[in-house]
Amino acid sequence: MFARGAGVTLKVALLSAGVALLMSLLAGLGSGSRFAFVRAICRLYIQLFRAVSLLVLLFWMYFALPFAGIELSKLLSAVLAIGLNIGAYGAEIVRGSVAAVPKGQYEASIVLNLSQSQRLWRVVFPQAFVRMLPPMGNLMIELLKATSLIYFITLADLTYEAMILRNNYYIWTPYIFGMLLGIYFLLAACITMAIRILERKFTAWR
Amino acid sequence: MWDWSYAAEILPGLLKAFRNTIGAALAGFGLAVVIGLVLAMFARSRWGPVRWVIRSIVEFIRSTPLLVQLFFLYYSLPMLTPLSFSAFATGVLGLGLHYGTYLSEVYRSGIEAVPRGQWEAAKALNLSRVKTWFSVILPQAIPPVIPMMGNYLIVIVKETPTLSAITLVEVLLSAKNTASITYRVFEPYTIAGILFLLLSLVLSFGVSRMEKIMKRRYAG
Amino acid sequence: MNQQLAEPSAAEKPERPVADAKAPPLVQYEQVTKRYGELEVIKGIDLTLQPGEKLALIGPSGSGKTTLGRMLATLEKPTSGRILVEGESLWEMRMPSGKTVPANDRHLRRLRGNIGMVFQHFNLFPHMSVIDNVTLAPRSVLGLSKEEAHERAVTMLGKVGLDSKLSEFPSRLSGGQKQRVAIARALVMQPKVMVFDEVTSALDPELVGEVLAVMKEIARDSDMAMMLITHEMDFARDIADRVVFGAEGRIVEQGTPADIFGQPRSERLRSFLSRFG
């Protein structure tokens, strides 16, 4: 039964991570755009979604939106709420990492006559990527923890299944929760390890 | 879809619950500030096993969801120990423990930024460890990281709805209850959302003002 | 004191292609000024550079010489005035109707293809090996195939003495080696004029020689115009066809190395040179 819950947790986590990473890239890179309009939209997204309470956003998307005519499934509400919220934090990380690339790299690319997109993808982003990994890793752990909130909209994740288990096996409550904590801890450790492997792979040149 | 008169009707009730939200957040933050400091100081202990224990605790708490920790504290703790707290107290305890670990990292960065020479000077003057910590190191370590801690206050405020899972009546739960009574769902949740947004933006503004003041005082 | 700066005998001076003085100028600065807010760094400069000419820019810091070089490399835009490359204004385009409009990206990139630059702080791409650093632009900008780019790169790296370090990463190289890679990276694009912005100023003294040696060879063997912004007076004397001395954003004196170093006319230049013994 835990396995089923774990499956749901992982599914929500992976999908929202996808949304979050996409938004991080779009808004993070967009913050440095030439066009003031694009920059403004990115700033608005980042400020707004960093300021919302995730649980409230989740509730609003699942319970309130239907009354405005938009009905989202539990899965979609969860993935969008978590993805957009975490994505705003990720965008800040991307933006900061890109800004940390030394100006000389831009200048060298200019005098070598690289196009703007060549400059971004061949020179700037590879260097920003390495700087992004540790904070992004932490953010992904936050995302994993955020998935537990889908318990509130009765999406049958790990936490939800644990509560059901507890109803049937009341005596074992401490162990159930203890084990639940342990499972999350293991998943978080996997993420940390994955980030470390990525880091080692990409920083050979440092 | 949006009924202004209904919104005005339910606003006072929601604001009252919002007071609970703020109260729990402030209390939780206060506890986290203390726990964070304790953890940070013990993380620098001379004894290896102590450092290892502290680091493991911090890792564990930071890697697991607040929600599950709250469940554990509220439902499991009374079964294992004679201790049993109210929903509010448990919520504050949960927030304090969880975010205490984050704040311990913030303290750590502040402490590490204090030049080594300060420790050495204190030692040369034969100051006790307590005196060293409280008269020399912390007064230099803490002010620069206050903005960072302010950010965590904002995070804690936004996390308080999670406490509704252990029956603390804060604004989200209040909104939920209101909605279930009247079947008008859109206004309660939207108002709750806006309340958080506003508080968050105001606090963010305050934190960045503080950051500017700190930068001016401590830069260079 | 003057003996140290006296011109070397004719036998010592290296053979090299002579700058074509009769051809139309390769680069022209016309009444160029540059202002950063209140601060005017360049105050109305006229300067030309002939094809193949080796020009040395010397002067105290703040004289604006680096800014002049950066403007040619399109890293900065003049506040007023024009910079012409092969007769075309860098920052303006002439439309078929005859109107002059601000240059678009394509115009800039086309003209930029004739200009190269080597930086004081190298600016190598740290995440790429030496060979990748040098082949990136030929492949992406010139459209060369992997093999062609590789061949050109190896030749150029051989010229600077680093063809044994192809797969090394910049973090493993000494300062002098990094600068030589940077020179190869710029040369492989075959620009008509190259700006060398104080390329030895950031190097430890014992590494300066290897870079200067490479540059001497380049000056001798190629008909590329070179703008050498430098503090190395001996080097300027050896290499340059013409030396320009600037201070506080203006040109104070210019002439052949013999004139500038042997018979400085202005007091400013004299006091500047006296600092170099």
Side-chain angles (χ1 to χ4, degrees), chain A residues 65-112:
Chain A
L65 268 188
F67 287 82
I70 309 173
E71 227 180 282
L72 301 170
S73 72
K74 288 183 188 175
L75 183 63
L76 195 53
S77 318
V79 168
L80 277 180
I82 298 178
L84 288 173
N85 180 237
I86 301 278
Y89 289 97
E92 266 302 291
I93 294 175
V94 169
R95 194 185 61 86
S97 309
V98 169
V101 175
K103 191 157 168 268
Q105 295 293 302
Y106 287 90
E107 298 196 336
S109 316
I110 292 177
V111 304
L112 285 173

Side-chain angles (χ1 to χ4, degrees), chain A residues 4-94:
Chain A
R4 207 178 23 177
V8 174
T9 291
L10 281 174
K11 186 161 74 168
V12 173
L14 285 171
L15 287 173
S16 12
V19 172
L21 289 172
L22 179 66
M23 293 310 297
S24 300
L25 273 180
L26 284 178
L29 294 176
S31 300
S33 158
R34 280 176 291 170
F35 304 107
F37 180 67
V38 174
R39 286 201 308 268
I41 297 227
C42 293
R43 255 188 80 88
L44 184 64
Y45 163 69
I46 293 176
Q47 305 271 47
L48 192 64
F49 278 91
R50 281 195 343 164
V52 301
S53 166
L54 179 52
L55 190 52
V56 176
L57 178 66
L58 184 59
F59 263 73
W60 190 80
M61 277 186 137
Y62 184 62
F63 290 115
L65 268 188
F67 287 82
I70 309 173
E71 227 180 282
L72 301 170
S73 72
K74 288 183 188 175
L75 183 63
L76 195 53
S77 318
V79 168
L80 277 180
I82 298 178
L84 288 173
N85 180 237
I86 301 278
Y89 289 97
E92 266 302 291
I93 294 175
V94 169

Side-chain angles (χ1 to χ4, degrees), chain A residues 50 53 60 89 142 145 166, chain B residues 62 75-76 102 158 190:
Chain A
R50 281 195 343 164
S53 166
W60 190 80
Y89 289 97
E142 295 297 321
K145 295 183 345 184
R166 176 179 167 260
Chain B
R62 271 176 39 154
Y75 295 119
S76 302
Y102 286 94
K158 292 189 287 169
T190 307

Side-chain angles (χ1 to χ4, degrees), chain C residues 81-264:
Chain C
R82 302 196 301 169
I83 300 178
L84 303 172
V85 174
E86 287 189 315
E88 277 191 82
S89 176
L90 264 186
W91 296 99
E92 300 163 325
M93 300 190 303
R94 172 141 295 163
M95 303 305 293
S97 61
K99 254 186 69 169
T100 310
V101 300
N104 64 14
D105 211 42
R106 199 160 6 118
H107 174 92
L108 265 177
R109 288 192 71 199
R110 179 170 56 84
L111 293 183
R112 209 186 270 146
N114 293 316
I115 310 165
M117 179 161 176
V118 182
F119 297 86
Q120 183 177 357
H121 295 288
F122 337 125
N123 291 338
L124 290 182
F125 302 131
H127 57 299
M128 295 183 179
S129 65
V130 163
I131 187 73
D132 286 336
N133 257 278
V134 181
T135 53
L136 174 62
R139 289 178 64 185
S140 312
V141 180
L142 300 180
L144 295 184
S145 74
K146 191 165 173 207
E147 293 76 27
E148 286 174 316
H150 188 94
E151 216 186 288
R152 259 210 225 182
V154 172
T155 310
M156 208 54 77
L157 284 165
K159 279 217 185 104
V160 303
L162 285 172
D163 46 0
S164 60
K165 299 266 181 198
L166 294 183
S167 43
E168 287 283 6
F169 281 86
S171 58
R172 292 201 178 301
L173 301 177
S174 76
Q177 289 170 326
K178 281 194 264 214
Q179 196 59 296
R180 285 188 276 150
V181 173
I183 293 175
R185 181 177 68 170
L187 278 180
V188 84
M189 298 295 282
Q190 296 173 337
K192 294 200 174 114
V193 56
M194 187 106 105
V195 178
F196 291 87
D197 185 11
E198 302 211 32
V199 301
T200 52
S201 298
L203 296 177
D204 289 335
E206 64 265 20
L207 299 171
V208 168
E210 68 193 55
V211 175
L212 292 182
V214 160
M215 287 169 67
K216 273 190 196 152
E217 242 190 79
I218 294 171
R220 190 184 60 206
D221 295 338
S222 82
D223 48 7
M224 178 179 73
M226 292 164 73
M227 181 184 277
L228 301 155
I229 304 167
T230 185
H231 284 308
E232 301 281 340
M233 298 303 152
D234 288 341
F235 175 68
R237 179 179 36 100
D238 281 345
I239 296 287
D241 296 322
R242 185 163 50 111
V243 178
V244 168
F245 171 67
E248 280 99 46
R250 288 189 221 279
I251 295 181
V252 176
E253 240 185 277
Q254 57 180 301
T256 66
D259 293 337
I260 291 287
F261 294 112
Q263 289 159 343

